[in-house]
């Protein structure tokens, strides 16, 4: 199937998958539906979720959209984002369709404020971001009838972040949709929204499962105690 997503100025581009899918009946069905998915579809669906939710910041969505569209050019890092690509807004976050999705329904949830690290966010920004993730997941599950999700954050350049702006990848998944499930992580590692910022990133040397050993109970308890003491220090 040709999968298409509406992008800026109503241009349609073919969805390019970054890896090989097996023939799988549930995902093929979802793929056929994806040809009708646009940011407007998502906006309509999330508006329903918006009415039902009780845990988001209590600011009327229409007021947020009006203010953001009239007063602010939304940025993703240094890139200007068209309002047509944004399908959900909260007081402190926004969700947008993806120029280069790895799978149908691969979207990004971003902080309104351009800052690279989760630790840079204020408490209300952080909470709002993850509540937006939950709303968008519900919408994607309804649209794609998926079995599961990858919810991924590359928190800094050392973790593979290609755009220095807090963003969360949400990818609908199906049982058996990939030959190797870990291929999705390789694809995320190589993902970049534009060619000019796509660079070859060093690979983490991870030993094979057969080469890894279970740690002792004492080793794990020592590590847990260290983290507990650090949290206590930061809280005091």
């Amino acid at each position: 199937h040709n999968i298409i997503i509406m992008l800026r100025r109503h241009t349609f581009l073919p969805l390019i998958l970054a890896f090989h899918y097996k023939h799988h009946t549930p995902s093929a069905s979802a793929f056929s539906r994806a040809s009708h998915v646009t940011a407007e579809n998502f906006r309509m669906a999330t508006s329903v979720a918006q009415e039902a939710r009780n845990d988001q910041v209590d600011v009327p969505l229409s007021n947020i959209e009006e203010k953001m569209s009239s007063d602010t050019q939304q940025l993703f890092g240094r890139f200007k984002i068209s309002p047509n690509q944004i399908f959900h807004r909260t007081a402190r976050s926004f969700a947008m369709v993806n120029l280069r999705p790895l799978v149908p329904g691969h979207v990004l949830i971003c902080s309104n404020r351009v800052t690279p690290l989760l630790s840079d966010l204020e408490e209300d920004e952080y909470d709002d971001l993850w509540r937006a993730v939950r709303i968008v997941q519900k919408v994607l599950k309804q649209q794609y009838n998926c079995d599961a999700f990858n919810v991924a954050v590359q928190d800094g350049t050392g973790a593979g972040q290609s755009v220095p702006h807090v963003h969360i990848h949400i990818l609908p998944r199906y049982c058996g949709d990939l030959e190797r499930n870990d291929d999705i992580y390789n694809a995320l590692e190589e993902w970049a929204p534009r060619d000019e910022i796509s660079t070859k990133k060093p690979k983490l040397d991870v030993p094979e499962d057969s080469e890894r050993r279970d740690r002792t109970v004492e080793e794990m308890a020592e590590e847990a105690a260290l983290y507990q003491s650090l949290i206590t220090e930061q809280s005091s």
Side-chain angles (χ1 to χ4, degrees):
H1 298 278
N2 289 329
I3 313 302
I4 53 179
I5 276 188
M6 178 176 285
L7 297 174
R8 191 174 183 177
R9 297 178 182 173
H10 306 291
T11 300
F12 288 87
L13 297 178
L15 175 68
I16 302 173
L17 294 181
F19 39 79
H20 174 69
Y21 267 81
K22 294 196 303 186
H23 294 295
H24 184 65
T25 302
S27 55
S29 173
F31 287 3
S32 66
R33 295 180 64 191
S35 61
H36 304 292
V37 177
T38 66
E40 183 60 28
N41 293 144
F42 281 127
R43 270 195 291 269
M44 292 173 63
T46 51
S47 67
V48 175
Q50 187 82 13
E51 293 174 3
R53 64 176 173 72
N54 296 316
D55 55 358
Q56 199 76 7
V57 177
D58 189 18
V59 178
L61 187 61
S62 58
N63 292 356
I64 296 169
E65 291 177 333
E66 181 180 356
K67 180 174 178 57
M68 291 297 291
S69 61
S70 61
D71 299 345
T72 306
Q73 167 64 64
Q74 183 62 63
L75 295 177
F76 177 45
R78 61 185 174 86
F79 299 108
K80 294 181 179 179
I81 302 301
S82 166
N84 290 336
Q85 292 174 257
I86 298 172
F87 62 89
H88 178 59
R89 282 195 184 278
T90 71
R92 296 167 182 82
S93 310
F94 68 95
M96 66 177 178
V97 295
N98 197 337
L99 179 64
R100 293 184 171 178
L102 297 177
V103 298
H106 174 193
V107 300
L108 303 179
I109 314 297
C110 313
S111 60
N112 285 343
R113 186 162 60 93
V114 178
T115 190
L117 303 176
L118 284 169
S119 58
D120 295 334
L121 299 178
E122 300 294 339
E123 292 294 328
D124 58 346
E125 291 177 303
Y126 187 92
D127 292 346
D128 187 276
L129 184 74
W130 288 103
R131 290 182 181 126
V133 167
R134 183 161 54 185
I135 288 173
V136 172
Q137 278 188 284
K138 291 178 181 178
V139 169
L140 293 176
K141 185 171 181 62
Q142 175 184 335
Q143 176 64 32
Y144 293 101
N145 194 30
C146 52
D147 302 321
F149 290 95
N150 283 106
V151 179
V153 182
Q154 294 159 310
D155 196 27
T157 55
Q161 187 185 60
S162 55
V163 178
H165 185 161
V166 172
H167 59 282
I168 300 171
H169 294 263
I170 304 183
L171 300 92
R173 295 293 306 279
Y174 305 87
C175 294
D177 58 359
L178 295 179
E179 294 284 353
R180 293 180 64 257
N181 193 56
D182 284 353
D183 286 347
I184 196 72
Y185 304 113
N186 295 333
L188 275 170
E189 182 70 18
E190 296 168 3
W191 179 91
R194 297 285 192 281
D195 283 333
E196 65 265 27
I197 61 172
S198 180
T199 58
K200 193 67 176 178
K201 300 167 185 173
K203 296 293 184 182
L204 182 65
D205 185 17
V206 179
E208 296 292 334
D209 285 346
S210 59
E211 299 173 357
R212 298 166 65 189
R213 70 170 182 85
D214 292 345
R215 294 193 296 167
T216 66
V217 172
E218 291 75 19
E219 287 173 326
M220 292 188 291
E222 182 179 358
E223 183 181 7
L226 170 63
Y227 299 151
Q228 187 178 42
S229 65
L230 291 173
I231 290 173
T232 301
E233 287 177 12
Q234 291 184 1
S235 300
S236 60

